[in-house]
Amino acid sequence: MSDFQWPWEYTFPPFFTLQPHEETRQQQLKVWADLFLKYLKHLNRFTLSINEQNFPLYHNETLKRRLSPELILLILEQLQQSGHAAPLDKRRQEWQVYWYTLEEYGNMVYDWIQETGQTNSICTLYEIASGENTTQQSFHGVDEAVLVNALRLLEEKGRCELIEMDGSHGVKFF
Amino acid sequence: MNRFAYIEARLNPNESFVSRDRNVKIYDGDQKTEFEEGEVVLTSHRLFWGRPGEIARAAVTLCLPLHYVISLSEETTASNFFGRKTRIIMHLRPPQADKGPGPLDTSRAAHIKLSGKNGLSVEFHSALRETISARVWEVMITNEMVISSPENKAASGSEDRLARIQKRTGIGGIERHLEAKAKATDENIALAFQDLSVLMAMAKDMVGLSKTISGKIREQKGEISDDETVRFKSYLLSLGIDDPVTRDNFTSNTAYFNSLAQQICEMLLDPIEEHGGMMSLADVYCRVNRARGLELLSPEDLLHACEQLSGPIRLRSFPSGARVLQLESHDDALIAIDTLEQVQAATSLAVEELAKNLGISLLLAKERLLVAERLGKVCRDESVEGLRFYPNLLLHPVEN
């Protein structure tokens, strides 16, 4: 895995302090949200805990600056607004973060199913997320928990049906 | 003990009885004497010591005028059976030449002690302290000249009784004593202020004098070197405003504050320009009062006057609550750009560093940075090392 290319802001100390100036703050949060997604994609991680003190994303060791939990929460809420994150617990400490929005994931999976003519057949989630056939797809490697959420959204639209089998999920597309 | 004299135990006019105690012995310095088991009577002026009954008979007894007493102290000794007892030590002035004959006239000790079998009673002790600090004998000497005319004699008899009651100790006595002290303090203060007003009147003359001198200097420019003239003028300037606006000259507050504002404006225009267009109210207060010399302004008056300011200088309140005087021409945008230049030159700046660089107060430096921040020119970095400001690269990234 190649080294992550940090943006220049990551070495700029004020980047780690919430800016009071409205416009600056918007820009700051935007860059942070972008960085969160990029970094998690780089690591292929889909969950994030606010309390993970020494996570490089929160903590620039050479600069001796770290994000305060409040600021992390603010960034995650920003991501939630754009549909790229969702809290996993009520205290909003554990978060699910995803590169594409759930809707985008759902559409991508459905497009792929249609292209490969798998409508009306049943797939396992493993096949979709990690199967050999999907290696070229952008949703390859997606977290199964995220995938389930995306498929639930599809299910609401009547495009598929989730089936529970021995604790794992299967899905039938229409 | 050579301050004692043999005197009949009678009260003088104006003298009043204060307290008595029994079974008292006197020490000459630290030496025991034959004067034991006696009775002491304290009056407003003197201390008598006699064998039991002698004082009541008005016989000749030992007498110590209280004006000899410099101070009192006490020592505590262990008594055989009764625990601890307290002795009073009286420190005395040297004897006067005209003192009558007394006991132990050859003694050299500069203090005596009063002691009893069980120590002295608390009442007597406190009465003694109070009497000594009241120094009634000093007052009476001056009063005597007025009151001692014969027709007052009869009246003074009843007054004496009254005084005797009044001089009694207890809470009333203490209160009266405090009252007298407060009165004396009041008089002192009034006196002090009298001096001050004289000084202020003098100050006007001084300013007048300095004016005529400076006028003369101007006339005779040739004789004195320019350098000296300049130096002298600077002295005169430091004397302050020739004619300070004072409240006395005005009937209405508004007129007073308006002209005060005008004077402040004239006076501070140059210094504020020198200071980069802004001056905190604290600085203004110091400068104005320094220039006014003796006609000092209260902070409230200054503030009111500043609120009246219009024209080149005006009062400005920052969102943080800090208030400054600012040149009208002084624009936030300009401050922000100027501050940004400072920050850029140093990569990042803390408040203290900016204050040092520009030679302004911390308060103003902070306001400058906050103004620049509000306009998006700089951004902040809060860390354990404190607050620093950086150029706002987040909004205006450097073009690579």
Side-chain angles (χ1 to χ4, degrees):
Chain A
M1 201 185 276
S2 63
D3 270 352
F4 184 69
Q5 190 69 45
W6 295 102
W8 69 266
E9 283 97 338
Y10 189 67
T11 55
F12 185 54
F15 193 43
F16 290 81
T17 303
L18 184 64
Q19 297 300 321
H21 181 242
E22 181 67 29
E23 209 181 322
T24 314
R25 186 172 62 233
Q26 301 284 346
Q27 172 67 19
Q28 183 192 18
L29 288 177
K30 204 180 117 213
V31 176
W32 266 118
D34 200 39
L35 175 60
F36 265 51
L37 289 181
K38 275 187 185 150
Y39 189 70
L40 289 179
K41 188 177 186 227
H42 177 77
L43 295 181
N44 202 24
R45 265 180 71 159
F46 289 86
T47 55
L48 209 51
S49 166
I50 288 181
N51 293 321
E52 214 172 322
Q53 286 288 325
N54 288 325
F55 192 42
L57 185 58
Y58 304 155
H59 181 207
N60 185 340
E61 214 168 335
T62 46
L63 206 61
K64 289 190 185 130
R65 294 288 185 281
R66 61 172 80 235
L67 283 179
S68 67
E70 294 79 28
L71 187 47
I72 298 174
L73 189 63
L74 220 57
I75 296 164
L76 287 169
E77 277 166 356
Q78 170 112 348
L79 284 172
Q80 187 184 13
Q81 269 177 21
S82 62
H84 289 92
L88 288 176
D89 61 344
K90 277 199 172 156
R91 287 171 54 236
R92 304 170 86 81
Q93 296 291 309
E94 307 289 329
W95 287 72
Q96 207 171 43
V97 182
Y98 20 86
W99 176 248
Y100 296 109
T101 65
L102 291 180
E103 191 158 356
E104 282 169 337
Y105 272 120
N107 290 341
M108 281 188 298
V109 172
Y110 192 69
D111 287 349
W112 172 73
I113 292 290
Q114 280 186 324
E115 273 168 36
T116 51
Q118 295 188 66
T119 39
N120 283 323
S121 62
I122 296 179
C123 311
T124 61
L125 293 194
Y126 180 81
E127 267 177 85
I128 298 173
S130 319
E132 285 170 16
N133 298 332
T134 62
T135 42
Q136 299 305 313
Q137 302 297 324
S138 353
F139 55 84
H140 186 77
V142 69
D143 188 73
E144 287 197 15
V146 176
L147 186 57
V148 167
N149 287 341
L151 292 176
R152 288 237 163 83
L153 219 61
L154 269 187
E155 194 176 29
E156 277 171 28
K157 291 180 188 164
R159 302 250 179 94
C160 71
E161 192 179 350
L162 276 166
I163 310 156
E164 201 153 339
M165 307 181 296
D166 321 328
S168 69
H169 287 95
V171 61
K172 184 181 179 187
F173 293 92
F174 306 116
Chain B
M1 182 143 180
N2 52 353
R3 280 75 158 171
F4 279 87
Y6 291 117
I7 288 181
E8 274 181 34
R10 279 184 208 282
L11 287 179
N12 291 331
N14 298 327
E15 190 177 10
S16 56
F17 169 84
V18 179
S19 182
R20 82 168 80 225
D21 203 0
R22 286 173 219 285
N23 284 333
V24 177
K25 59 182 163 190
I26 305 179
Y27 286 71
D28 174 34
D30 293 324
Q31 303 290 318
K32 274 194 180 178
T33 63
E34 51 172 324
F35 305 105
E36 292 185 7
E37 301 269 305
E39 187 183 11
V40 280
V41 166
L42 176 69
T43 73
S44 54
H45 291 59
R46 295 177 290 179
L47 182 76
F48 291 97
W49 183 95
R51 311 266 171 211
E54 275 183 355
I55 292 180
R57 288 201 310 274
V60 172
T61 55
L62 300 187
C63 168
L64 174 73
L66 290 181
H67 63 76
Y68 278 121
V69 179
I70 302 169
S71 65
L72 291 180
S73 59
E74 54 190 67
E75 66 176 12
T76 310
T77 51
S79 167
N80 293 343
F81 302 108
F82 301 102
R84 313 182 75 77
K85 64 175 181 180
T86 308
R87 287 185 192 144
I88 299 176
I89 306 174
M90 303 172 86
H91 302 271
L92 304 175
R93 291 190 174 82
Q96 284 166 349
D98 57 350
K99 185 189 79 76
L104 297 173
D105 267 343
T106 52
S107 161
R108 292 237 185 102
H111 66 271
I112 60 162
K113 291 183 195 173
L114 298 181
S115 175
K117 251 188 188 152
N118 304 323
L120 285 151
S121 72
V122 180
E123 295 83 47
F124 182 82
H125 193 165
S126 60
L128 183 60
R129 261 181 200 290
E130 209 174 291
T131 312
I132 300 257
S133 61
R135 310 178 78 80
V136 179
W137 56 91
E138 285 183 357
V139 180
M140 290 307 184
I141 289 168
T142 52
N143 280 358
E144 242 165 356
M145 298 164 196
V146 188
I147 304 175
S148 60
S149 49
E151 60 267 31
N152 282 351
K153 270 276 162 75
S156 78
S158 63
E159 258 174 36
D160 189 34
R161 215 171 300 134
L162 196 71
R164 205 181 300 175
I165 296 166
Q166 286 209 339
K167 284 284 156 11
R168 286 267 164 80
T169 55
I171 293 174
I174 295 172
E175 275 181 346
R176 264 194 299 283
H177 177 55
L178 286 179
E179 209 172 277
K181 249 190 176 168
K183 215 179 201 173
T185 317
D186 266 1
E187 274 165 17
N188 278 341
I189 290 174
L191 209 66
F193 274 109
Q194 247 173 12
D195 287 356
L196 199 62
S197 62
V198 171
L199 192 60
M200 280 165 86
M202 292 296 284
K204 262 185 192 150
D205 291 346
M206 286 292 292
V207 174
L209 183 68
S210 64
K211 259 186 184 168
T212 54
I213 294 176
S214 67
K216 273 183 188 161
I217 286 177
R218 217 172 296 138
E219 284 164 22
Q220 323 176 322
K221 246 197 176 149
E223 288 173 32
I224 304 169
S225 71
D226 276 354
D227 185 38
E228 273 177 83
T229 320
V230 169
R231 210 187 311 160
F232 188 73
K233 271 190 181 158
S234 76
Y235 289 153
L236 290 183
L237 272 181
S238 75
L239 263 177
I241 304 170
D242 319 330
D243 180 24
V245 174
T246 55
R247 209 183 254 278
D248 305 346
N249 305 343
F250 293 92
T251 43
S252 82
N253 268 351
T254 336
Y256 168 59
F257 287 134
N258 273 335
S259 45
L260 197 56
Q262 207 174 348
Q263 194 165 62
I264 291 173
C265 183
E266 283 164 16
M267 195 195 116
L268 289 179
L269 205 51
D270 289 341
I272 288 188
E273 256 166 36
E274 270 170 37
H275 275 67
M278 245 198 256
M279 193 182 271
S280 70
L281 273 193
D283 286 347
V284 170
Y285 180 73
C286 292
R287 275 187 174 260
V288 169
N289 273 334
R290 166 95 174 82
R292 288 173 68 96
L294 288 162
E295 300 284 351
L296 295 182
L297 272 186
S298 74
E300 284 82 8
D301 279 3
L302 182 75
L303 183 62
H304 284 309
C306 288
E307 280 164 357
Q308 301 290 325
L309 279 175
S310 55
I313 305 178
R314 65 197 162 83
L315 181 69
R316 152 141 201 219
S317 302
F318 284 106
S320 66
R323 305 180 103 174
V324 298
L325 287 191
Q326 194 182 33
L327 289 182
E328 195 107 274
S329 59
H330 204 65
D331 189 22
D332 270 5
L334 287 175
I335 303 180
I337 290 168
D338 188 46
T339 312
L340 175 64
E341 274 166 14
Q342 293 282 336
V343 175
Q344 270 168 343
T347 317
S348 77
L349 272 183
V351 173
E352 309 85 80
E353 290 162 0
L354 182 68
K356 210 167 150 193
N357 289 354
L358 293 181
I360 55 178
S361 69
L362 283 178
L363 186 78
L364 286 189
K366 183 158 189 189
E367 290 304 338
R368 273 173 166 264
L369 286 165
L370 291 181
V371 162
E373 185 186 47
R374 267 198 296 284
L375 294 178
K377 300 288 180 201
V378 298
C379 55
R380 63 172 62 201
D381 164 37
E382 282 178 80
S383 69
V384 280
E385 292 149 37
L387 182 62
R388 298 188 71 83
F389 287 85
Y390 286 74
N392 194 343
L393 300 179
L394 296 172
L395 266 193
H396 314 283
V398 196
E399 307 290 331
N400 287 323

